[in-house]
Amino acid sequence: MVKETAFYDTLGVKPSATPEELKKAYRKLALKYHPDKNPTEGEKFKQISQAYEVLSDPKKREVYDRGGEKAIKEGGSSSGGGGFASPMDIFDLFFGGGSRMHRERKGKNVVHQISVSLEDLYNGASRKLSLQKNALCERCEGRGSRKGAAQMCMLCHGSGMQVRVHQLAPGMVQQVSTVCQGCQGQGQRISQKDRCKACGGRKILRQKKILEVHIDKGMRDGQKIVFHGEGDQEPGLEPGDIIFVLDLREHPQFTRNRDDLMMSMELQLVEALCGFQKPVQTLDNRTLLVTSHAGDLIKPGDTKCIVNEGMPKHRHPFEKGRLIITFTVVFPKANFLPNPKLKELERYLPERKEAERPEGMDDDLYIYADLEDCNLESRRRRRSHYYYMEEDDYPGATGVQCQTS
């Protein structure tokens, strides 16, 4: 029993959620509320990141379940210390952004979500996507001016940052680093007349880029397709990556479980007893004739499989999983046969097992009880209604009164 569910509610999952369900929930919410897409949802993005940071770590999750967010902030005994990591660090690590030191030399990654069908993952597919990205100005080669025209900013001495010292108390000072206002963090200054006419001294231009995304057979929901070095370009930095994340849409007939496909099939009682042949349309438009021979009894809830008719395995597309079918059996309606016909049908069914009767007990001592339909849900609602009825609901009802003199 968990103490509080706020983190689970933030991710939209139940407290019993598996690690895979947590990953899927974080992936969808982080992409939706990322500051690049929703600049006004920074606080929401932070809450999502904090919830995932805690619940994705088994030790922190145990501490949270036991003591709530307060226990996490206090650095519970097995949580490895209190506090939270940067939301952007969590996002970059989740989507393959690497360590912070590496990111300082590399531009940030751009993550996009691609909605795919189960047919796309079964047969493979290609998508051409048009994107806008920052590219170094070709005219000035990313300098922002003609060669040699840029001068080092004398306010920050080329670092792009200014350090200010504040005295907090006698003998106590604080150093604060801020972006240089003189060069806007560029480390150099360019006069108006020397600025590149193409980019206006910005060093970069917006560029349209068309990428062809190949979805291989057997890929999975949430799998990443990475285009290395195709992200935004910045002077002095290695370009980041463009990452596409596959988001599987729900299929009306099949669900996927690793390399297996799951489906349900409804049978009439006669089909379950006497055999059947039912067509099933596959994801590559073939037709399987699912066959059960006479005498192969199918019981309600039975599970059968067809080998090599599941999902192709990624990078080994000629190897496939299983098609797993769970059966439900529909029984005929009451009184579907007259009594003489039922007696005749009984002759072909296995014999009844007679109930054991206490020795020496006469038939007239039994109390015969007939079965009736029972609706438990309506009974619960009726009881709940009775529990919440108050005294005012009974006209003319009066409570006990004390006589005063």
mmCIF file of all heavy atoms in Angstrom, residues 259-303:
data_model
loop_
_atom_site.group_PDB
_atom_site.id
_atom_site.type_symbol
_atom_site.label_atom_id
_atom_site.label_comp_id
_atom_site.label_asym_id
_atom_site.label_seq_id
_atom_site.Cartn_x
_atom_site.Cartn_y
_atom_site.Cartn_z
ATOM 1 N N ASP A 259 7.738 -10.684 -29.472
ATOM 2 C CA ASP A 259 7.667 -11.156 -30.861
ATOM 3 C C ASP A 259 6.376 -11.910 -31.151
ATOM 4 O O ASP A 259 6.192 -12.400 -32.269
ATOM 5 C CB ASP A 259 8.873 -12.069 -31.175
ATOM 6 C CG ASP A 259 10.180 -11.299 -31.165
ATOM 7 O OD1 ASP A 259 10.165 -10.117 -31.549
ATOM 8 O OD2 ASP A 259 11.209 -11.869 -30.760
ATOM 9 N N ASP A 260 5.487 -12.012 -30.171
ATOM 10 C CA ASP A 260 4.224 -12.723 -30.367
ATOM 11 C C ASP A 260 3.097 -11.735 -30.657
ATOM 12 O O ASP A 260 3.109 -10.592 -30.190
ATOM 13 C CB ASP A 260 3.856 -13.545 -29.128
ATOM 14 C CG ASP A 260 4.817 -14.696 -28.881
ATOM 15 O OD1 ASP A 260 5.394 -15.192 -29.861
ATOM 16 O OD2 ASP A 260 4.993 -15.080 -27.707
ATOM 17 N N LEU A 261 2.119 -12.201 -31.441
ATOM 18 C CA LEU A 261 0.877 -11.454 -31.656
ATOM 19 C C LEU A 261 -0.237 -12.153 -30.890
ATOM 20 O O LEU A 261 -0.328 -13.391 -30.906
ATOM 21 C CB LEU A 261 0.529 -11.398 -33.139
ATOM 22 C CG LEU A 261 1.340 -10.438 -34.005
ATOM 23 C CD1 LEU A 261 0.986 -10.622 -35.476
ATOM 24 C CD2 LEU A 261 1.119 -8.991 -33.585
ATOM 25 N N MET A 262 -1.077 -11.374 -30.226
ATOM 26 C CA MET A 262 -2.170 -11.924 -29.426
ATOM 27 C C MET A 262 -3.499 -11.485 -30.031
ATOM 28 O O MET A 262 -3.649 -10.343 -30.483
ATOM 29 C CB MET A 262 -2.094 -11.421 -27.978
ATOM 30 C CG MET A 262 -0.695 -11.322 -27.409
ATOM 31 S SD MET A 262 0.002 -12.897 -26.936
ATOM 32 C CE MET A 262 -0.981 -13.280 -25.495
ATOM 33 N N MET A 263 -4.470 -12.407 -30.044
ATOM 34 C CA MET A 263 -5.814 -12.068 -30.489
ATOM 35 C C MET A 263 -6.817 -12.953 -29.767
ATOM 36 O O MET A 263 -6.447 -13.974 -29.171
ATOM 37 C CB MET A 263 -5.950 -12.242 -32.008
ATOM 38 C CG MET A 263 -5.841 -13.672 -32.495
ATOM 39 S SD MET A 263 -6.317 -13.888 -34.235
ATOM 40 C CE MET A 263 -8.095 -13.626 -34.140
ATOM 41 N N SER A 264 -8.071 -12.551 -29.799
ATOM 42 C CA SER A 264 -9.136 -13.378 -29.219
ATOM 43 C C SER A 264 -10.070 -13.822 -30.337
ATOM 44 O O SER A 264 -10.217 -13.135 -31.347
ATOM 45 C CB SER A 264 -9.912 -12.599 -28.154
ATOM 46 O OG SER A 264 -10.479 -11.438 -28.715
ATOM 47 N N MET A 265 -10.680 -14.978 -30.138
ATOM 48 C CA MET A 265 -11.600 -15.529 -31.139
ATOM 49 C C MET A 265 -12.832 -16.073 -30.425
ATOM 50 O O MET A 265 -12.715 -16.795 -29.427
ATOM 51 C CB MET A 265 -10.917 -16.642 -31.943
ATOM 52 C CG MET A 265 -11.782 -17.215 -33.069
ATOM 53 S SD MET A 265 -10.914 -18.455 -34.061
ATOM 54 C CE MET A 265 -9.799 -17.415 -35.004
ATOM 55 N N GLU A 266 -13.998 -15.727 -30.952
ATOM 56 C CA GLU A 266 -15.265 -16.158 -30.357
ATOM 57 C C GLU A 266 -15.800 -17.360 -31.122
ATOM 58 O O GLU A 266 -15.853 -17.363 -32.345
ATOM 59 C CB GLU A 266 -16.262 -15.003 -30.399
ATOM 60 C CG GLU A 266 -17.570 -15.299 -29.703
ATOM 61 C CD GLU A 266 -18.503 -14.106 -29.729
ATOM 62 O OE1 GLU A 266 -18.397 -13.237 -28.841
ATOM 63 O OE2 GLU A 266 -19.329 -14.033 -30.663
ATOM 64 N N LEU A 267 -16.193 -18.394 -30.374
ATOM 65 C CA LEU A 267 -16.738 -19.620 -30.963
ATOM 66 C C LEU A 267 -18.154 -19.853 -30.461
ATOM 67 O O LEU A 267 -18.477 -19.541 -29.302
ATOM 68 C CB LEU A 267 -15.881 -20.832 -30.598
ATOM 69 C CG LEU A 267 -14.409 -20.829 -31.017
ATOM 70 C CD1 LEU A 267 -13.735 -22.109 -30.515
ATOM 71 C CD2 LEU A 267 -14.264 -20.712 -32.531
ATOM 72 N N GLN A 268 -18.974 -20.396 -31.324
ATOM 73 C CA GLN A 268 -20.250 -20.923 -30.869
ATOM 74 C C GLN A 268 -20.014 -22.295 -30.235
ATOM 75 O O GLN A 268 -18.996 -22.959 -30.499
ATOM 76 C CB GLN A 268 -21.228 -21.046 -32.041
ATOM 77 C CG GLN A 268 -21.564 -19.722 -32.708
ATOM 78 C CD GLN A 268 -22.229 -18.741 -31.763
ATOM 79 O OE1 GLN A 268 -23.117 -19.109 -30.988
ATOM 80 N NE2 GLN A 268 -21.792 -17.484 -31.830
ATOM 81 N N LEU A 269 -20.931 -22.733 -29.392
ATOM 82 C CA LEU A 269 -20.755 -24.003 -28.686
ATOM 83 C C LEU A 269 -20.566 -25.157 -29.673
ATOM 84 O O LEU A 269 -19.715 -26.034 -29.458
ATOM 85 C CB LEU A 269 -21.953 -24.265 -27.772
ATOM 86 C CG LEU A 269 -21.896 -25.563 -26.959
ATOM 87 C CD1 LEU A 269 -20.670 -25.594 -26.050
ATOM 88 C CD2 LEU A 269 -23.173 -25.735 -26.146
ATOM 89 N N VAL A 270 -21.301 -25.159 -30.776
ATOM 90 C CA VAL A 270 -21.185 -26.246 -31.735
ATOM 91 C C VAL A 270 -19.789 -26.280 -32.358
ATOM 92 O O VAL A 270 -19.232 -27.347 -32.638
ATOM 93 C CB VAL A 270 -22.280 -26.127 -32.816
ATOM 94 C CG1 VAL A 270 -22.107 -24.852 -33.638
ATOM 95 C CG2 VAL A 270 -22.291 -27.350 -33.730
ATOM 96 N N GLU A 271 -19.173 -25.080 -32.559
ATOM 97 C CA GLU A 271 -17.816 -25.022 -33.112
ATOM 98 C C GLU A 271 -16.798 -25.542 -32.108
ATOM 99 O O GLU A 271 -15.845 -26.235 -32.470
ATOM 100 C CB GLU A 271 -17.479 -23.589 -33.508
ATOM 101 C CG GLU A 271 -18.322 -23.047 -34.650
ATOM 102 C CD GLU A 271 -18.073 -21.586 -34.923
ATOM 103 O OE1 GLU A 271 -18.001 -20.802 -33.941
ATOM 104 O OE2 GLU A 271 -17.939 -21.210 -36.100
ATOM 105 N N ALA A 272 -16.994 -25.207 -30.841
ATOM 106 C CA ALA A 272 -16.069 -25.674 -29.811
ATOM 107 C C ALA A 272 -16.114 -27.190 -29.659
ATOM 108 O O ALA A 272 -15.097 -27.842 -29.384
ATOM 109 C CB ALA A 272 -16.399 -24.999 -28.474
ATOM 110 N N LEU A 273 -17.306 -27.768 -29.870
ATOM 111 C CA LEU A 273 -17.456 -29.217 -29.694
ATOM 112 C C LEU A 273 -17.123 -29.997 -30.968
ATOM 113 O O LEU A 273 -16.519 -31.075 -30.898
ATOM 114 C CB LEU A 273 -18.886 -29.537 -29.259
ATOM 115 C CG LEU A 273 -19.333 -29.009 -27.890
ATOM 116 C CD1 LEU A 273 -20.814 -29.294 -27.685
ATOM 117 C CD2 LEU A 273 -18.508 -29.655 -26.778
ATOM 118 N N CYS A 274 -17.492 -29.469 -32.104
ATOM 119 C CA CYS A 274 -17.447 -30.260 -33.343
ATOM 120 C C CYS A 274 -16.395 -29.784 -34.344
ATOM 121 O O CYS A 274 -16.311 -30.332 -35.452
ATOM 122 C CB CYS A 274 -18.824 -30.238 -34.017
ATOM 123 S SG CYS A 274 -20.158 -30.808 -32.930
ATOM 124 N N GLY A 275 -15.613 -28.764 -33.991
ATOM 125 C CA GLY A 275 -14.588 -28.288 -34.902
ATOM 126 C C GLY A 275 -15.052 -27.098 -35.724
ATOM 127 O O GLY A 275 -16.251 -26.807 -35.812
ATOM 128 N N PHE A 276 -14.096 -26.390 -36.329
ATOM 129 C CA PHE A 276 -14.433 -25.190 -37.094
ATOM 130 C C PHE A 276 -13.284 -24.846 -38.032
ATOM 131 O O PHE A 276 -12.162 -25.333 -37.893
ATOM 132 C CB PHE A 276 -14.702 -24.009 -36.148
ATOM 133 C CG PHE A 276 -13.503 -23.617 -35.329
ATOM 134 C CD1 PHE A 276 -12.577 -22.701 -35.822
ATOM 135 C CD2 PHE A 276 -13.280 -24.176 -34.079
ATOM 136 C CE1 PHE A 276 -11.465 -22.345 -35.084
ATOM 137 C CE2 PHE A 276 -12.167 -23.828 -33.336
ATOM 138 C CZ PHE A 276 -11.259 -22.914 -33.842
ATOM 139 N N GLN A 277 -13.574 -23.943 -38.956
ATOM 140 C CA GLN A 277 -12.569 -23.296 -39.793
ATOM 141 C C GLN A 277 -12.925 -21.815 -39.862
ATOM 142 O O GLN A 277 -14.019 -21.452 -40.273
ATOM 143 C CB GLN A 277 -12.540 -23.895 -41.205
ATOM 144 C CG GLN A 277 -11.886 -25.275 -41.271
ATOM 145 C CD GLN A 277 -11.696 -25.751 -42.702
ATOM 146 O OE1 GLN A 277 -12.510 -25.439 -43.563
ATOM 147 N NE2 GLN A 277 -10.640 -26.511 -42.948
ATOM 148 N N LYS A 278 -11.987 -20.960 -39.433
ATOM 149 C CA LYS A 278 -12.241 -19.519 -39.405
ATOM 150 C C LYS A 278 -11.082 -18.789 -40.078
ATOM 151 O O LYS A 278 -9.922 -19.041 -39.763
ATOM 152 C CB LYS A 278 -12.406 -19.013 -37.963
ATOM 153 C CG LYS A 278 -13.768 -19.342 -37.350
ATOM 154 C CD LYS A 278 -13.884 -18.751 -35.969
ATOM 155 C CE LYS A 278 -15.289 -18.925 -35.415
ATOM 156 N NZ LYS A 278 -16.278 -18.093 -36.078
ATOM 157 N N PRO A 279 -11.394 -17.856 -40.997
ATOM 158 C CA PRO A 279 -10.320 -17.088 -41.646
ATOM 159 C C PRO A 279 -9.834 -15.952 -40.759
ATOM 160 O O PRO A 279 -10.611 -15.303 -40.063
ATOM 161 C CB PRO A 279 -10.994 -16.543 -42.910
ATOM 162 C CG PRO A 279 -12.445 -16.458 -42.552
ATOM 163 C CD PRO A 279 -12.720 -17.543 -41.553
ATOM 164 N N VAL A 280 -8.515 -15.721 -40.781
ATOM 165 C CA VAL A 280 -7.899 -14.605 -40.059
ATOM 166 C C VAL A 280 -7.005 -13.838 -41.035
ATOM 167 O O VAL A 280 -6.116 -14.426 -41.655
ATOM 168 C CB VAL A 280 -7.068 -15.099 -38.853
ATOM 169 C CG1 VAL A 280 -6.279 -13.951 -38.236
ATOM 170 C CG2 VAL A 280 -7.964 -15.741 -37.807
ATOM 171 N N GLN A 281 -7.259 -12.538 -41.172
ATOM 172 C CA GLN A 281 -6.455 -11.703 -42.068
ATOM 173 C C GLN A 281 -5.180 -11.279 -41.344
ATOM 174 O O GLN A 281 -5.236 -10.708 -40.258
ATOM 175 C CB GLN A 281 -7.257 -10.462 -42.474
ATOM 176 C CG GLN A 281 -6.688 -9.691 -43.653
ATOM 177 C CD GLN A 281 -7.046 -10.329 -44.988
ATOM 178 O OE1 GLN A 281 -7.874 -11.220 -45.014
ATOM 179 N NE2 GLN A 281 -6.424 -9.872 -46.057
ATOM 180 N N THR A 282 -4.024 -11.574 -41.928
ATOM 181 C CA THR A 282 -2.747 -11.240 -41.302
ATOM 182 C C THR A 282 -2.366 -9.793 -41.602
ATOM 183 O O THR A 282 -2.996 -9.110 -42.415
ATOM 184 C CB THR A 282 -1.630 -12.175 -41.805
ATOM 185 O OG1 THR A 282 -1.438 -11.952 -43.208
ATOM 186 C CG2 THR A 282 -2.003 -13.632 -41.577
ATOM 187 N N LEU A 283 -1.298 -9.326 -40.967
ATOM 188 C CA LEU A 283 -0.855 -7.947 -41.132
ATOM 189 C C LEU A 283 -0.222 -7.684 -42.492
ATOM 190 O O LEU A 283 -0.009 -6.524 -42.863
ATOM 191 C CB LEU A 283 0.128 -7.583 -40.011
ATOM 192 C CG LEU A 283 -0.468 -7.582 -38.596
ATOM 193 C CD1 LEU A 283 0.622 -7.429 -37.554
ATOM 194 C CD2 LEU A 283 -1.501 -6.475 -38.443
ATOM 195 N N ASP A 284 0.110 -8.745 -43.223
ATOM 196 C CA ASP A 284 0.631 -8.563 -44.591
ATOM 197 C C ASP A 284 -0.387 -9.036 -45.633
ATOM 198 O O ASP A 284 -0.031 -9.449 -46.736
ATOM 199 C CB ASP A 284 1.966 -9.285 -44.770
ATOM 200 C CG ASP A 284 1.876 -10.772 -44.442
ATOM 201 O OD1 ASP A 284 0.823 -11.219 -43.950
ATOM 202 O OD2 ASP A 284 2.859 -11.487 -44.682
ATOM 203 N N ASN A 285 -1.688 -9.005 -45.241
ATOM 204 C CA ASN A 285 -2.814 -9.274 -46.151
ATOM 205 C C ASN A 285 -2.861 -10.707 -46.673
ATOM 206 O O ASN A 285 -3.396 -10.958 -47.756
ATOM 207 C CB ASN A 285 -2.805 -8.288 -47.328
ATOM 208 C CG ASN A 285 -3.169 -6.885 -46.880
ATOM 209 O OD1 ASN A 285 -4.030 -6.707 -46.023
ATOM 210 N ND2 ASN A 285 -2.490 -5.898 -47.435
ATOM 211 N N ARG A 286 -2.320 -11.659 -45.946
ATOM 212 C CA ARG A 286 -2.575 -13.065 -46.248
ATOM 213 C C ARG A 286 -3.790 -13.508 -45.432
ATOM 214 O O ARG A 286 -4.200 -12.828 -44.493
ATOM 215 C CB ARG A 286 -1.366 -13.937 -45.892
ATOM 216 C CG ARG A 286 -0.143 -13.657 -46.765
ATOM 217 C CD ARG A 286 1.075 -14.481 -46.310
ATOM 218 N NE ARG A 286 1.496 -14.078 -44.985
ATOM 219 C CZ ARG A 286 1.493 -14.858 -43.918
ATOM 220 N NH1 ARG A 286 1.051 -16.125 -44.004
ATOM 221 N NH2 ARG A 286 1.900 -14.415 -42.751
ATOM 222 N N THR A 287 -4.346 -14.649 -45.773
ATOM 223 C CA THR A 287 -5.494 -15.179 -45.034
ATOM 224 C C THR A 287 -5.137 -16.544 -44.468
ATOM 225 O O THR A 287 -4.814 -17.478 -45.218
ATOM 226 C CB THR A 287 -6.740 -15.298 -45.929
ATOM 227 O OG1 THR A 287 -7.065 -14.014 -46.450
ATOM 228 C CG2 THR A 287 -7.915 -15.824 -45.136
ATOM 229 N N LEU A 288 -5.158 -16.633 -43.134
ATOM 230 C CA LEU A 288 -4.939 -17.918 -42.468
ATOM 231 C C LEU A 288 -6.300 -18.565 -42.216
ATOM 232 O O LEU A 288 -7.230 -17.887 -41.760
ATOM 233 C CB LEU A 288 -4.225 -17.722 -41.134
ATOM 234 C CG LEU A 288 -2.849 -17.055 -41.148
ATOM 235 C CD1 LEU A 288 -2.334 -16.899 -39.718
ATOM 236 C CD2 LEU A 288 -1.863 -17.870 -41.968
ATOM 237 N N LEU A 289 -6.411 -19.838 -42.509
ATOM 238 C CA LEU A 289 -7.643 -20.578 -42.209
ATOM 239 C C LEU A 289 -7.405 -21.372 -40.925
ATOM 240 O O LEU A 289 -6.847 -22.465 -40.938
ATOM 241 C CB LEU A 289 -8.009 -21.510 -43.360
ATOM 242 C CG LEU A 289 -9.445 -22.064 -43.333
ATOM 243 C CD1 LEU A 289 -10.473 -20.935 -43.392
ATOM 244 C CD2 LEU A 289 -9.660 -23.045 -44.479
ATOM 245 N N VAL A 290 -7.778 -20.781 -39.813
ATOM 246 C CA VAL A 290 -7.562 -21.409 -38.503
ATOM 247 C C VAL A 290 -8.532 -22.576 -38.378
ATOM 248 O O VAL A 290 -9.749 -22.406 -38.482
ATOM 249 C CB VAL A 290 -7.767 -20.389 -37.367
ATOM 250 C CG1 VAL A 290 -7.564 -21.050 -36.009
ATOM 251 C CG2 VAL A 290 -6.819 -19.213 -37.536
ATOM 252 N N THR A 291 -7.979 -23.773 -38.140
ATOM 253 C CA THR A 291 -8.774 -25.003 -38.199
ATOM 254 C C THR A 291 -8.669 -25.779 -36.895
ATOM 255 O O THR A 291 -7.577 -25.970 -36.349
ATOM 256 C CB THR A 291 -8.283 -25.894 -39.357
ATOM 257 O OG1 THR A 291 -8.362 -25.153 -40.579
ATOM 258 C CG2 THR A 291 -9.127 -27.156 -39.464
ATOM 259 N N SER A 292 -9.820 -26.201 -36.401
ATOM 260 C CA SER A 292 -9.883 -27.133 -35.274
ATOM 261 C C SER A 292 -10.705 -28.331 -35.740
ATOM 262 O O SER A 292 -11.833 -28.179 -36.216
ATOM 263 C CB SER A 292 -10.542 -26.474 -34.059
ATOM 264 O OG SER A 292 -10.720 -27.416 -33.005
ATOM 265 N N HIS A 293 -10.132 -29.519 -35.651
ATOM 266 C CA HIS A 293 -10.785 -30.721 -36.183
ATOM 267 C C HIS A 293 -11.832 -31.250 -35.207
ATOM 268 O O HIS A 293 -11.767 -30.997 -33.990
ATOM 269 C CB HIS A 293 -9.738 -31.797 -36.473
ATOM 270 C CG HIS A 293 -8.730 -31.350 -37.496
ATOM 271 N ND1 HIS A 293 -9.002 -31.264 -38.830
ATOM 272 C CD2 HIS A 293 -7.428 -30.962 -37.344
ATOM 273 C CE1 HIS A 293 -7.925 -30.844 -39.480
ATOM 274 N NE2 HIS A 293 -6.956 -30.646 -38.599
ATOM 275 N N ALA A 294 -12.786 -31.964 -35.755
ATOM 276 C CA ALA A 294 -13.825 -32.577 -34.922
ATOM 277 C C ALA A 294 -13.180 -33.463 -33.858
ATOM 278 O O ALA A 294 -12.279 -34.246 -34.143
ATOM 279 C CB ALA A 294 -14.767 -33.409 -35.797
ATOM 280 N N GLY A 295 -13.622 -33.290 -32.636
ATOM 281 C CA GLY A 295 -13.053 -34.057 -31.527
ATOM 282 C C GLY A 295 -12.006 -33.296 -30.750
ATOM 283 O O GLY A 295 -11.681 -33.667 -29.616
ATOM 284 N N ASP A 296 -11.452 -32.209 -31.363
ATOM 285 C CA ASP A 296 -10.491 -31.367 -30.623
ATOM 286 C C ASP A 296 -11.274 -30.323 -29.843
ATOM 287 O O ASP A 296 -11.555 -29.228 -30.342
ATOM 288 C CB ASP A 296 -9.522 -30.677 -31.590
ATOM 289 C CG ASP A 296 -8.626 -31.673 -32.304
ATOM 290 O OD1 ASP A 296 -8.479 -32.795 -31.806
ATOM 291 O OD2 ASP A 296 -8.061 -31.305 -33.360
ATOM 292 N N LEU A 297 -11.679 -30.656 -28.659
ATOM 293 C CA LEU A 297 -12.558 -29.810 -27.858
ATOM 294 C C LEU A 297 -11.849 -28.501 -27.471
ATOM 295 O O LEU A 297 -10.703 -28.515 -27.037
ATOM 296 C CB LEU A 297 -12.997 -30.560 -26.599
ATOM 297 C CG LEU A 297 -13.940 -29.821 -25.655
ATOM 298 C CD1 LEU A 297 -15.279 -29.593 -26.322
ATOM 299 C CD2 LEU A 297 -14.108 -30.599 -24.356
ATOM 300 N N ILE A 298 -12.532 -27.379 -27.654
ATOM 301 C CA ILE A 298 -12.039 -26.072 -27.214
ATOM 302 C C ILE A 298 -12.885 -25.613 -26.038
ATOM 303 O O ILE A 298 -14.103 -25.491 -26.152
ATOM 304 C CB ILE A 298 -12.120 -25.019 -28.341
ATOM 305 C CG1 ILE A 298 -11.344 -25.478 -29.578
ATOM 306 C CG2 ILE A 298 -11.610 -23.677 -27.849
ATOM 307 C CD1 ILE A 298 -9.854 -25.458 -29.433
ATOM 308 N N LYS A 299 -12.235 -25.361 -24.893
ATOM 309 C CA LYS A 299 -12.946 -24.916 -23.698
ATOM 310 C C LYS A 299 -12.856 -23.394 -23.575
ATOM 311 O O LYS A 299 -11.911 -22.780 -24.089
ATOM 312 C CB LYS A 299 -12.362 -25.594 -22.459
ATOM 313 C CG LYS A 299 -12.490 -27.114 -22.470
ATOM 314 C CD LYS A 299 -12.051 -27.729 -21.155
ATOM 315 C CE LYS A 299 -10.560 -27.600 -20.916
ATOM 316 N NZ LYS A 299 -9.749 -28.365 -21.886
ATOM 317 N N PRO A 300 -13.819 -22.749 -22.897
ATOM 318 C CA PRO A 300 -13.735 -21.297 -22.685
ATOM 319 C C PRO A 300 -12.427 -20.925 -21.989
ATOM 320 O O PRO A 300 -12.037 -21.545 -20.999
ATOM 321 C CB PRO A 300 -14.945 -20.994 -21.794
ATOM 322 C CG PRO A 300 -15.907 -22.116 -22.063
ATOM 323 C CD PRO A 300 -15.068 -23.318 -22.331
ATOM 324 N N GLY A 301 -11.718 -19.937 -22.547
ATOM 325 C CA GLY A 301 -10.447 -19.506 -21.971
ATOM 326 C C GLY A 301 -9.248 -20.267 -22.477
ATOM 327 O O GLY A 301 -8.112 -19.941 -22.103
ATOM 328 N N ASP A 302 -9.439 -21.281 -23.311
ATOM 329 C CA ASP A 302 -8.305 -22.029 -23.866
ATOM 330 C C ASP A 302 -7.435 -21.114 -24.719
ATOM 331 O O ASP A 302 -7.922 -20.176 -25.369
ATOM 332 C CB ASP A 302 -8.797 -23.196 -24.730
ATOM 333 C CG ASP A 302 -9.001 -24.469 -23.908
ATOM 334 O OD1 ASP A 302 -8.771 -24.405 -22.695
ATOM 335 O OD2 ASP A 302 -9.400 -25.489 -24.489
ATOM 336 N N THR A 303 -6.140 -21.393 -24.731
ATOM 337 C CA THR A 303 -5.181 -20.636 -25.535
ATOM 338 C C THR A 303 -4.445 -21.587 -26.460
ATOM 339 O O THR A 303 -3.893 -22.598 -26.018
ATOM 340 C CB THR A 303 -4.176 -19.889 -24.633
ATOM 341 O OG1 THR A 303 -4.888 -18.977 -23.785
ATOM 342 C CG2 THR A 303 -3.178 -19.093 -25.465
#
